[in-house]
Amino acid sequence: MAFRHKNTRRIEGLDSNIWVEFTKVAADPSIVNLGQGLPDISPPNYVKEELAKASAVDRLNQYTRGFGHPSLVKALSQVYERVCGRKIDPLTDILVTVGAYGSLFSTIQALIEEGDEVIIIEPFYDCYEPMVKMAGAKPVFIPLRYKNDGNSASSADWVLDPEFNSKTKAIILNTPHNPIGKVFTREELQVIADLCIKHDTLCISDEVYEWLVYKGNQHIKIATLPGMWERTITIGSAGKTYSVTGWKLGWSIGPQNLIKHLQVVHQNMLYTCPTPLQEALAQAFWIDYKRMDDPDCYFYSLSRELESKRDRMAQLLQDAGLKPVIPDGGYFMIVDVSTLNVDLSDVDEKQPYDYKFVKWMITSKKLSAIPLSAFCGPETKRQFEKYIRFCFIKKDSTLDAAEVILKNWNKQTA
Amino acid sequence: MLRRAGPSLRHFLLERKSSAGYSSYFSEAKMSRPVQSRRLEGVDKNIWVEFVKLAATYSTVNLGQGFPDFPPPDFLKEALETALSRENHMLHQYTRAFGHPPLVKILAQLFGKLLGRDLDPMTNVMVTVGAYQALFCCFQAFVDEGDEVIIIEPFFDCYEPMVIMAGGTPVFIPLRPKAPEDGKMMSSADWKLDSAELASKFNERTKAIVLNSPNNPLGKVFSRGELEVIADLCVKHDVLCISDEVYEWLVYDGKEHIRIASLPGMWDRTVIIGSAGKTFSVTGWKVGWTVGPNRLLQHIRTMHQNSVYHCATVAQEAVAQGFQRELMLYGKPDSYFVQLSKELQKKRDWLVQSLDAAGMKPIIPEGTYFLLADISNFKSDVPDVPNSDEPYDSRFAKWMVKNKGLAAIPLSAFYCGAHKNNYSHFIRFCFAKEEATLKAASDILQKWKQEKTSP
């Protein structure tokens, strides 16, 4: 029987996915998993309790408002009004989505189309490229370049030299940055903002790690720069804010005349997000909103906890003779593994070095990470193939296990 | 509408900028170029946004939007509670993107049994954010510009904008009512497709047909003979079938829900869509699924991984537990599927009786928790407005919720633009409601009837 049912053009070539490949490989429980970005630490107790409370209310198990559960959009508007210093209307300026992932998709589907160019800063969270392509647009990759001759590498040493043109519809900004951990400074954001205004371009600002910035750094919202609110969609994530990646709740915040288009996509895509999770998240936000002046607020306490994990991770890698790039934010750390001189030339796959290295490290060292070239466009894969990414939002026992492996690394290869 | 600012306008705007970088001319302005993508053209209206708001503002009795006002079953609430109380907090983190393993395993088992096939949980099942997202993935994965998709009217309203957003052309074919003999009350079974008319809708551009059985809003449960007509055409024209079966467990009067995928030649070309929200009375959990052959599901997976990627974990865990229980109790009197169906049949019968007594003529549904009622006897309260853009039943439903506090949905919401006035004197009631709610609805209607008949 002839079967002509091919996939549509929009998904042509978008079927492979790094996570499907690497989460399978690392699923073995004997492997110390510092790969995929999910916490193995517990979310705060009150967050878990609020979910139990919400699910016990019968009507909270049925449909809620499509664009966002009323108590949640109200809580988000309060928190972000405080952060941004401007009025945010909970009903028109906010859309609740299935994770920040869903916000990225809704934004790109709403505002990007064939003929558009979208600037993606390399390395980039991998979904940006296929989402831009699915919208029929052309991704234009601009790499962060390392500019430091010194020994201690920091994410701040990676800088951008952006260029826009008349076809540029949007730039996707990710700060704090995954995978490098860079926190864009006000000056760096101003350069981007100036270009956005000059070329009348949108800014899609992925700020899921907004609370995870380490000492000496400040997270600045590009939407708060002059001329930027009207052209920026700012994306946030419950998963990253409260260590509940499995709740898959995110949000887009922006001016009504942009958000309304995201709402149209949303109403034609999944209509509404789960109710009890939204209610629980709203309650958690109220608890922390009330203590935003208090160092015990989870937004700050998580950041402090992660800073010490960051420092520990960096130390472990340095002791193993590696050169990690110390992140100013986020919960990832990239490290140049070429100094280990692991010869994989006999592995005759056409894969980049870092892919081969990670697979080798998983099988022979029982430690997993993610290859950095997964986060690069075709032109720059060569440049980044000596780096791998570790996730450090892990409990002490996981980091202890990683320490054992890294300490014994040199012994085994000697 | 102006697509992009031409060069002279851009030049003018740039000239106005000060050398400092940006001009206060832009301070509270919008972006100067139109921003939204063309794919949003014609899909921005949504009946629910409007009617849900009206119900929230005015209704005292809400039989409008389709969700139960009775609690979810205890065993399911307990399953969620247990999952949340466990030491293992990893249920708050990402699970497998294409579906939490315990859930896809049990779905493969259950649907394997129902279809008489061996199903692989990893390739024949995918979990989605409600059946709504499953529909979206199907249209996005299979409908390209130039493709036609056959939609049977009346239809769950999202099918049309989803086809349009995917660049496809919806082709509509109506179910046509035939008045029953002997003055019997009309049933959803009296609404049928004309086979010749249906055949005429298939051509070389037809990519898919959307089947919804049991049908929302009518409540029709397609018979085997009716499904065979559709199946034959699908096979003959090599067309996909997107089979929305969210109300699969809600069939009454001993009728059988037949899965079109079980008909000859259909498994390979059908995607079955289901919903935990409808199955377990938890619409707010937004857990749905697709079941089908790998060569179709692979493309749905691609769409899913590039749009939402993961679905929330803990609800999937609880739904999996719910299905374990139901698989064990399958066909037995204690099964929730059996009990819910019995309960809802009683509610259906009760509402049918109340509506009939009040003078609104119900169409008895064979399935789902919706029924349509003919409001012709109440027309005098809501006069016709000649040359109005809005269909009569829509104005009627709005008047009714504002003046009588009773919320229902106009049937025209479930027809395409061109056909909205074809059946403009029906409204849809949802009867998945507590006895008290149904009684309150009946009281409103009785009072209304009395007001009309008394001088």
Side-chain angles (χ1 to χ4, degrees):
Chain A
M1 169 185 72
F3 193 78
R4 62 187 167 125
H5 302 300
K6 265 176 58 64
N7 49 285
T8 48
R9 282 184 296 262
R10 68 178 60 85
I11 56 172
E12 190 58 45
L14 304 186
D15 47 318
S16 72
N17 181 286
I18 172 100
W19 306 109
V20 177
E21 199 181 339
F22 278 90
T23 49
K24 233 190 316 199
V25 169
D28 175 351
S30 71
I31 292 172
V32 179
N33 190 355
L34 302 188
Q36 192 188 7
L38 82 173
D40 67 2
I41 61 173
S42 174
N45 283 329
Y46 61 91
V47 170
K48 296 189 281 183
E49 276 154 26
E50 289 301 335
L51 183 55
K53 274 168 41 193
S55 330
V57 178
D58 288 337
R59 64 178 168 77
L60 292 178
N61 288 292
Q62 307 304 336
Y63 292 132
T64 183
R65 177 178 168 267
F67 303 142
H69 186 53
S71 60
L72 176 57
V73 292
K74 188 87 187 45
L76 286 168
S77 73
Q78 299 280 275
V79 169
Y80 286 104
E81 271 180 9
R82 211 195 117 116
V83 171
C84 298
R86 74 173 293 134
K87 193 100 192 60
I88 296 174
D89 184 317
L91 301 182
T92 61
D93 300 348
I94 301 181
L95 174 67
V96 175
T97 55
V98 177
Y101 214 97
S103 270
L104 286 160
F105 183 77
S106 298
T107 302
I108 291 169
Q109 285 285 307
L111 304 174
I112 306 296
E113 60 183 345
E114 211 162 316
D116 289 340
E117 289 185 6
V118 177
I119 293 176
I120 296 177
I121 298 166
E122 291 176 300
F124 53 89
Y125 180 59
D126 69 297
C127 80
Y128 301 161
E129 181 186 2
M131 284 189 184
V132 166
K133 283 185 171 158
M134 196 192 297
K138 177 174 165 212
V140 172
F141 301 105
I142 298 185
L144 282 164
R145 287 185 206 285
Y146 182 59
K147 55 148 233 188
N148 190 337
D149 296 321
N151 272 326
S152 112
S154 153
S155 59
D157 301 325
W158 294 74
V159 295
L160 191 70
D161 194 9
E163 258 178 48
F164 288 30
N165 64 44
S166 58
K167 290 215 214 68
T168 308
K169 186 72 178 281
I171 177 169
I172 302 178
L173 174 68
N174 177 216
T175 180
H177 182 268
N178 172 12
I180 293 182
K182 178 182 178 63
V183 174
F184 284 71
T185 62
R186 186 176 291 277
E187 294 68 36
E188 288 171 318
L189 293 176
Q190 192 63 62
V191 169
I192 296 173
D194 288 345
L195 285 163
C196 286
I197 291 163
K198 177 174 174 184
H199 294 269
D200 196 23
T201 299
L202 289 163
C203 181
I204 302 171
S205 188
D206 175 351
E207 302 183 16
V208 297
Y209 301 104
E210 59 187 308
W211 302 111
L212 307 180
V213 282
Y214 307 125
K215 272 202 223 72
N217 297 279
Q218 194 196 359
H219 173 67
I220 295 168
K221 289 181 160 315
I222 197 170
T224 58
L225 268 54
M228 289 305 288
W229 170 258
E230 76 218 42
R231 61 184 67 256
T232 305
I233 300 287
T234 306
I235 294 173
S237 157
K240 310 296 189 275
T241 298
Y242 281 109
S243 310
V244 286
T245 59
W247 286 28
K248 285 294 294 192
L249 283 176
W251 47 85
S252 300
I253 299 182
Q256 174 176 10
N257 65 293
L258 295 182
I259 293 289
K260 73 182 184 198
H261 302 306
L262 276 66
Q263 289 174 338
V264 170
V265 172
H266 184 80
Q267 90 198 12
N268 286 304
M269 177 184 158
L270 49 94
Y271 196 77
T272 181
C273 294
T275 315
L277 292 167
Q278 291 189 72
E279 174 65 22
L281 183 61
Q283 297 306 321
F285 266 120
W286 286 125
I287 289 170
D288 283 300
Y289 173 69
K290 282 187 245 172
R291 49 181 190 171
M292 274 177 90
D293 283 326
D294 189 330
D296 280 342
C297 175
Y298 189 68
F299 306 159
Y300 319 136
S301 67
L302 178 65
S303 183
R304 286 194 303 274
E305 188 184 343
L306 285 173
E307 186 159 352
S308 40
K309 290 185 191 289
R310 174 197 74 165
D311 295 342
R312 184 177 175 196
M313 185 86 234
Q315 192 64 54
L316 296 180
L317 293 167
Q318 281 157 351
D319 291 346
L322 288 165
K323 217 173 98 159
V325 174
I326 316 288
D328 288 326
Y331 49 56
F332 300 109
M333 185 176 290
I334 67 170
V335 56
D336 178 347
V337 293
S338 60
T339 52
L340 293 175
N341 286 316
V342 176
D343 183 4
L344 296 165
S345 51
D346 59 336
V347 179
D348 66 350
E349 293 171 67
K350 290 185 179 60
Q351 293 196 322
Y353 179 80
D354 53 353
Y355 270 73
K356 296 196 284 193
F357 183 92
V358 168
K359 287 187 178 159
W360 167 84
M361 188 173 74
I362 290 173
T363 11
S364 60
K365 302 293 179 190
K366 299 286 190 189
L367 177 65
S368 81
I370 300 292
L372 209 70
S373 53
F375 303 98
C376 298
E379 318 275 313
T380 38
K381 280 195 199 295
R382 283 276 105 153
Q383 282 173 48
F384 288 104
E385 68 173 338
K386 56 184 190 165
Y387 290 97
I388 64 175
R389 183 197 83 170
F390 286 108
C391 170
F392 56 84
I393 184 166
K394 302 290 176 184
K395 55 189 190 230
D396 290 338
S397 55
T398 309
L399 296 175
D400 292 342
E403 178 168 7
V404 169
I405 293 171
L406 289 164
K407 279 208 157 92
N408 287 321
W409 191 296
N410 289 322
K411 292 189 188 148
Q412 278 183 283
T413 51
Chain B
M1 182 175 72
L2 182 68
R3 287 291 329 150
R4 281 174 190 265
S8 56
L9 177 58
R10 276 172 48 79
H11 182 74
F12 167 69
L13 292 170
L14 287 167
E15 286 287 275
R16 288 197 54 135
K17 283 174 59 187
S18 71
S19 54
Y22 107 101
S23 155
S24 59
Y25 176 82
F26 292 107
S27 59
E28 283 302 0
K30 301 182 183 162
M31 279 181 64
S32 56
R33 57 167 135 181
V35 284
Q36 73 273 24
S37 55
R38 276 173 293 235
R39 70 178 63 82
L40 300 189
E41 255 158 53
V43 302
D44 49 321
K45 300 264 175 298
N46 185 283
I47 179 103
W48 304 106
V49 176
E50 192 181 4
F51 275 87
V52 165
K53 224 187 332 193
L54 280 170
T57 313
Y58 296 103
S59 76
T60 51
V61 181
N62 189 354
L63 303 192
Q65 193 185 9
F67 62 87
D69 70 356
F70 47 77
D74 283 335
F75 65 84
L76 198 68
K77 293 203 287 191
E78 276 155 29
L80 186 61
E81 215 180 290
T82 308
L84 288 174
S85 66
R86 265 192 238 148
E87 277 295 307
N88 178 11
H89 52 76
M90 291 310 281
L91 284 178
H92 294 284
Q93 307 307 334
Y94 293 132
T95 182
R96 177 178 167 269
F98 302 132
H100 189 51
L103 179 55
V104 293
K105 288 199 180 109
I106 193 73
L107 285 170
Q109 253 186 288
L110 176 63
F111 284 94
K113 176 191 158 89
L114 295 169
L115 295 164
R117 264 180 194 273
D118 244 313
L119 296 183
D120 179 346
M122 301 293 134
T123 58
N124 296 133
V125 182
M126 192 191 84
V127 175
T128 54
V129 181
Y132 214 98
Q133 194 229 337
L135 288 160
F136 180 76
C137 284
C138 284
F139 292 119
Q140 289 283 313
F142 297 116
V143 178
D144 246 328
E145 211 155 314
D147 288 340
E148 289 183 6
V149 178
I150 297 174
I151 297 175
I152 299 167
E153 291 177 312
F155 57 91
F156 180 57
D157 68 296
C158 80
Y159 304 156
E160 182 185 6
M162 283 191 185
V163 167
I164 292 173
M165 192 171 152
T169 305
V171 170
F172 299 99
I173 176 165
L175 285 160
R176 294 182 187 282
K178 186 171 160 201
E181 294 142 13
D182 313 331
K184 282 210 296 232
M185 230 184 268
M186 187 171 257
S187 149
S188 56
D190 296 319
W191 290 58
K192 296 183 206 282
L193 289 175
D194 179 305
S195 299
E197 189 184 5
L198 179 63
S200 76
K201 303 289 180 184
F202 282 74
N203 61 49
E204 63 280 355
R205 286 181 306 278
T206 310
K207 190 68 181 280
I209 179 168
V210 184
L211 174 68
N212 175 219
S213 181
N215 168 284
N216 170 12
L218 184 58
K220 179 181 178 65
V221 173
F222 284 70
S223 67
R224 184 175 293 278
E226 288 172 313
L227 293 176
E228 278 167 354
V229 169
I230 296 172
D232 286 347
L233 286 163
C234 285
V235 171
K236 176 175 172 185
H237 294 272
D238 196 22
V239 161
L240 290 171
C241 180
I242 298 170
S243 186
D244 176 351
E245 303 184 22
V246 297
Y247 299 103
E248 58 188 314
W249 300 110
L250 304 182
V251 283
Y252 311 124
D253 309 317
K255 284 234 155 68
E256 193 197 345
H257 169 65
I258 296 164
R259 294 179 173 81
I260 197 170
S262 64
L263 268 55
M266 288 308 286
W267 167 255
D268 284 315
R269 59 183 66 258
T270 304
V271 179
I272 306 172
I273 292 173
S275 157
K278 309 295 190 279
T279 298
F280 289 111
S281 310
V282 283
T283 59
W285 286 23
K286 291 293 288 187
V287 175
W289 51 82
T290 52
V291 173
N294 184 48
R295 71 175 169 179
L296 295 181
L297 251 57
Q298 65 180 323
H299 302 308
I300 294 174
R301 287 194 293 270
T302 300
M303 190 57 218
H304 181 74
Q305 91 196 14
N306 288 303
S307 56
V308 306
Y309 199 27
H310 294 87
C311 301
T313 312
V314 75
Q316 292 189 63
E317 174 69 25
V319 171
Q321 299 297 320
F323 270 119
Q324 289 280 5
R325 176 197 194 266
E326 286 303 299
L327 193 57
M328 269 197 319
L329 294 172
Y330 188 75
K332 304 207 171 80
D334 279 346
S335 149
Y336 184 68
F337 300 165
V338 170
Q339 290 178 337
L340 182 64
S341 175
K342 257 169 84 189
E343 258 312 298
L344 285 171
Q345 180 167 325
K346 281 198 217 124
K347 292 178 192 291
R348 175 198 72 167
D349 295 343
W350 202 92
L351 184 61
V352 162
Q353 214 181 42
S354 322
L355 288 168
D356 193 39
M360 278 195 186
K361 295 199 295 243
I363 299 174
I364 306 176
E366 300 156 275
T368 78
Y369 45 50
F370 300 111
L371 60 76
L372 296 175
D374 184 332
I375 43 100
S376 302
N377 287 338
F378 288 75
K379 276 175 118 151
S380 54
D381 278 312
V382 187
D384 244 316
V385 171
N387 305 319
S388 165
D389 267 340
E390 193 176 7
Y392 180 81
D393 56 356
S394 180
R395 286 193 303 108
F396 184 93
K398 287 182 188 171
W399 184 94
M400 187 173 78
V401 72
K402 286 180 185 163
N403 293 278
K404 301 295 174 189
L406 177 60
I409 305 294
L411 181 60
S412 57
F414 306 97
Y415 280 84
C416 70
H419 300 163
K420 277 192 195 303
N421 289 307
N422 291 5
Y423 299 98
S424 57
H425 47 280
F426 288 95
I427 55 181
R428 184 197 82 169
F429 289 105
C430 171
F431 54 86
K433 306 292 174 186
E434 302 267 34
E435 258 177 58
T437 313
L438 296 174
K439 175 141 198 330
S442 170
D443 290 344
I444 290 175
L445 291 168
Q446 278 301 326
K447 185 155 171 279
W448 190 358
K449 177 187 174 192
Q450 268 149 35
E451 281 164 12
K452 280 159 45 59
T453 50
S454 47

